[in-house]
Amino acid sequence: MFKKILIANRGEIALRVIRACREMGIKTVAVHSTADNDAMYVKMADESVCIGPASSAESYLKKSAIISAAVVTNADAVHPGYGFLSENAEFAEMLEAHGIEFIGPTPEHIRRMGDKVEAKRTAIELGIPVVPGSKGALDTITDALKTAKEIGYPVIVKAASGGGGRGMKIAFNDEELKAQFPIARSEAKVAFGDDRVYMEKYLVNPKHIEIQLIGDKFGNVVTIGERDCSMQRKNQKIIEEAPASILTKKQSQDIQNIVRNAMEKLKYRGAGTIEFLFENGKFYFMEMNTRLQVEHPVTEQVYGVDLVQEQIRVAEGHKLSFKQEDIVPHCHALECRINAEDPETFVPFPGTVKYYHAPGGLGVRVDSGLYAGYKIPSCYDSMIAKVITFALTRDEAITKMYYALSEMIVDGVKTSIPLQQELLKQPAFLDGTYPIHWLQDYIQAKNEAKEKVEVQDDEPHKAKKKKSK
C-alpha cells in the first residue's frame, strides 16, 4: 500500500489525483513551478515542492527536479497525470532506479506504443486493424511518392514521435506531397526533436473513436467502453462523449474484443487508450496513449469506475477490482473542455479570474482548479476546466450540458463556452453524425459568412463617400 504519492503534473488533473488519493488514505505531494505558487492543487496537497521557474522545460519536464522532490519527501510512487512526462519511458526507468513506483505502464510498453511507427507495426502483429500506409519511417521524397502511389491519394504524413496535429500534412497529389513532405519533417524536428515521418491513407470523413482499457500485473485486461471524440479543431478535442452513439452494440463489442485480446498478448498493465478512425463501418488504428486521457471522466460516469484509483491499485500490485462482465453502461455522458481563449479567434486569453461560479445539480460534474482571484498563467495549456454532464439518454445529457454552461461564470477572461453552447445546438451534433473535420469546416464557413456580411455592410458607406465627392 502506498503511503505517499507525488503528482508530477499541474492544474485540474493534479487536483483529480489528489482527491482520489485522499479517499484511499494516501498522502500527496504537489510539485509546482513559480507560476503555479497559488494554484488550487498546491493548496490541497499535503506537501508541496517548488521545482523551478515557469518554463515547463525547467520545471514540469525536468526529470531530475521531480525525482529529487520524490526522494526528499519520501514518496512511494509518482502519478504522471497526462502530458508532460506521462509517456516518457526514461522518466519511468529513472524512478524505478530510485525505488519509486511509476503509476503507469512499463517503460517497454511506453516506448513501443509511444513511437507511432513502432506502434503501428505492433498493432499489425497483435491483430488490430490499421489504416493502409508505409511500413515504417520515410526517409526521402522518393520513398514518399512511391508509397503514395501504392496506397492512393489523398495521404497524410505524420510525425513518428508526434501528436496534437504537429508534423501532420495532407496531400492530394504528387505536387502537394513534394511541397508538404519537407515541411512535415521540419515541424516534427522542431516539436519533438525527431524528424522521422510516416504515411497513411487519408480518410475523408471518419469518426474518432477510442477504447479505454486497463490491465494489471497478472495479465488481466478489461476494456471500459468507447468514447466519441470527433468534435475537434486542428486535432484538439473540444467535446467528448460516451458511449459512441454512432456505433451499434455489435460494432462496440467487436472492437473491444479485438483491443482486449491484443493487450492481453502484450501483457499491458495500467490505464491506456487505443484511438481509431471509424469510417464506413470499419475501424482503423491511429495510435495508443499509454496514460490517463483528458476525457477519462465521461468513461467514469458511464461505467461507474474510478480510473485514477484503479491505476493506483494496479501499481500497488493488486488485481483489477472488476471483471469484464461488470462493465455495463448506466448512462450517457458528455465532456466540454473549457479553455481560456477567445471563442472566435481561439487566441489564448490568460488573466485573473475576478469571479467564478461552477454549475451544479443532478448529473453535473466539474473538474477544475479555478477560484476567484486565481491568475491563469500564459505559459501552459489554455484548458482551465472540464464540465461533465450525464443522464439516462444522450438528449438529456446534451440539455444538461447546455444549461450547465449557461450557469458557469468565469469573469475576467474569455472562454470557449459560447462556442460550445453553439455547437450543442447544431443538427450534426444532435444526430451524432459529425466526423472529425466537421468543426473545422463549420468554423471556416462561419468566418466566410461573417466576412461576406462585413463587405456588404461596408458597400453603402463606400457608395456614400463616392457620391459626396
Side-chain angles (χ1 to χ4, degrees):
M1 179 72 179
F2 297 144
K3 294 181 179 179
K4 187 184 292 185
I5 291 175
L6 181 142
I7 302 150
N9 218 295
R10 62 176 300 278
E12 63 83 20
I13 188 57
L15 201 54
R16 168 75 184 89
V17 177
I18 288 170
R19 287 171 172 150
C21 289
R22 277 182 167 182
E23 293 176 15
M24 299 176 77
I26 301 172
K27 298 291 184 182
T28 56
V29 180
V31 294
H32 65 93
S33 71
T34 53
D36 280 331
N37 285 337
D38 298 321
M40 181 63 77
Y41 79 94
V42 177
K43 298 175 186 290
M44 284 186 62
D46 294 294
E47 300 174 56
S48 63
V49 179
C50 183
I51 53 171
S55 167
S56 296
E58 294 300 316
S59 53
Y60 299 106
L61 290 171
K62 195 168 184 179
K63 304 180 189 73
S64 58
I66 294 172
I67 292 172
S68 294
V71 171
V72 168
T73 57
N74 293 312
D76 304 302
V78 168
H79 194 299
Y82 51 70
F84 294 131
L85 297 171
S86 62
E87 294 179 283
N88 190 294
E90 183 184 17
F91 179 57
E93 287 173 338
M94 290 170 70
L95 287 171
E96 190 177 292
H98 285 81
I100 301 168
E101 189 74 26
F102 177 76
I103 300 177
T106 65
E108 177 194 353
H109 288 153
I110 295 173
R111 280 200 178 90
R112 193 169 183 181
M113 303 311 292
D115 180 291
K116 301 300 185 289
V117 173
E118 182 59 30
K120 185 173 181 179
R121 188 180 294 121
T122 300
I124 294 170
E125 291 175 4
L126 296 174
I128 300 174
V130 301
V131 180
S134 59
K135 295 180 180 178
L138 300 169
D139 298 320
T140 67
I141 186 61
T142 302
D143 294 334
L145 290 168
K146 182 181 177 182
T147 302
K149 186 177 181 180
E150 291 172 355
I151 64 178
Y153 286 104
V155 297
I156 182 167
V157 180
K158 296 182 178 181
S161 298
R166 288 167 292 184
M168 270 187 201
K169 295 296 174 185
I170 300 166
F172 286 83
N173 52 55
D174 284 356
E175 293 307 310
E176 288 186 10
L177 182 57
K178 289 176 184 177
Q180 298 287 14
F181 185 77
I183 296 174
R185 294 194 67 172
S186 177
E187 286 185 4
K189 181 68 175 178
V190 171
F192 311 108
D194 180 359
D195 69 352
R196 290 178 307 132
V197 295
Y198 65 105
M199 182 187 293
E200 289 180 343
K201 176 74 174 175
Y202 179 67
L203 301 179
V204 179
N205 283 306
K207 295 282 279 182
H208 178 132
I209 305 294
E210 55 188 39
I211 305 297
Q212 175 70 59
L213 64 100
I214 190 164
D216 60 27
K217 296 180 180 180
F218 301 91
N220 302 303
V221 176
V222 171
T223 53
I224 314 174
E226 80 281 341
R227 297 184 287 259
D228 186 339
C229 302
S230 305
M231 189 61 76
Q232 51 186 262
R233 173 184 170 270
K234 294 186 176 180
N235 300 293
Q236 297 296 318
K237 300 165 187 173
I238 306 291
I239 303 175
E240 301 103 343
E241 61 179 301
S245 61
I246 200 73
L247 299 185
T248 65
K249 186 175 181 180
K250 185 177 187 305
Q251 286 171 331
S252 175
Q253 290 177 341
D254 287 350
I255 194 61
Q256 286 190 66
N257 288 339
I258 289 171
V259 167
R260 186 166 55 254
N261 291 336
M263 293 300 102
E264 286 174 351
K265 291 177 186 176
L266 196 62
K267 293 181 169 51
Y268 186 84
R269 78 165 197 226
T273 296
I274 296 188
E275 301 190 348
F276 293 92
L277 291 176
F278 177 74
E279 188 173 69
N280 298 324
K282 294 183 179 180
F283 290 92
Y284 301 98
F285 174 83
M286 266 202 303
E287 63 181 3
M288 180 173 186
N289 291 308
T290 55
R291 55 168 169 80
L292 197 66
Q293 294 278 91
V294 175
E295 58 273 21
H296 76 273
V298 294
T299 295
E300 292 184 325
Q301 298 304 148
V302 171
Y303 296 96
V305 299
D306 187 318
L307 284 168
V308 176
Q309 289 192 5
E310 204 65 24
Q311 281 184 298
I312 293 170
R313 291 191 191 99
V314 166
E316 287 177 329
H318 299 295
K319 287 186 178 181
L320 291 173
S321 64
F322 45 76
K323 296 180 180 179
Q324 190 63 54
E325 54 265 32
D326 300 324
I327 304 302
V328 179
H330 302 293
C331 61
H332 195 96
L334 302 175
E335 175 181 288
C336 280
R337 299 189 187 192
I338 310 302
N339 297 329
E341 64 185 20
D342 187 301
E344 295 287 335
T345 65
F346 303 100
V347 173
F349 206 101
T352 301
V353 178
K354 296 178 181 178
Y355 179 76
Y356 172 63
H357 175 74
L362 183 65
V364 179
R365 166 180 168 180
V366 179
D367 283 17
S368 175
L370 287 182
Y371 61 87
Y374 174 63
K375 188 174 182 180
I376 299 170
S378 60
C379 40
Y380 308 118
D381 186 87
S382 62
M383 190 179 75
I384 53 174
K386 299 186 304 198
V387 178
I388 303 98
T389 59
F390 46 99
L392 290 179
T393 69
R394 183 174 185 266
D395 287 346
E396 290 174 322
I398 292 172
T399 300
K400 280 182 183 290
M401 179 62 78
Y402 184 85
Y403 288 109
L405 296 182
S406 299
E407 286 182 29
M408 192 169 187
I409 300 173
V410 187
D411 188 28
V413 298
K414 291 184 178 182
T415 73
S416 56
I417 290 175
L419 172 64
Q420 285 159 325
Q421 284 187 295
E422 186 180 323
L423 297 177
L424 291 171
K425 295 189 291 184
Q426 299 307 309
F429 181 78
L430 292 173
D431 65 22
T433 58
Y434 58 100
I436 61 172
H437 311 301
W438 182 88
L439 179 54
Q440 196 64 35
D441 293 340
Y442 174 79
I443 292 169
Q444 184 177 338
K446 184 180 173 182
N447 290 338
E448 288 174 355
K450 184 179 178 182
E451 289 173 6
K452 187 176 180 180
V453 169
E454 289 174 349
V455 169
Q456 289 175 342
D457 288 345
D458 196 42
E459 285 176 356
H461 297 287
K462 289 180 180 179
K464 191 174 181 181
K465 287 180 180 179
K466 188 175 182 181
K467 187 176 181 181
S468 65
K469 288 180 181 179

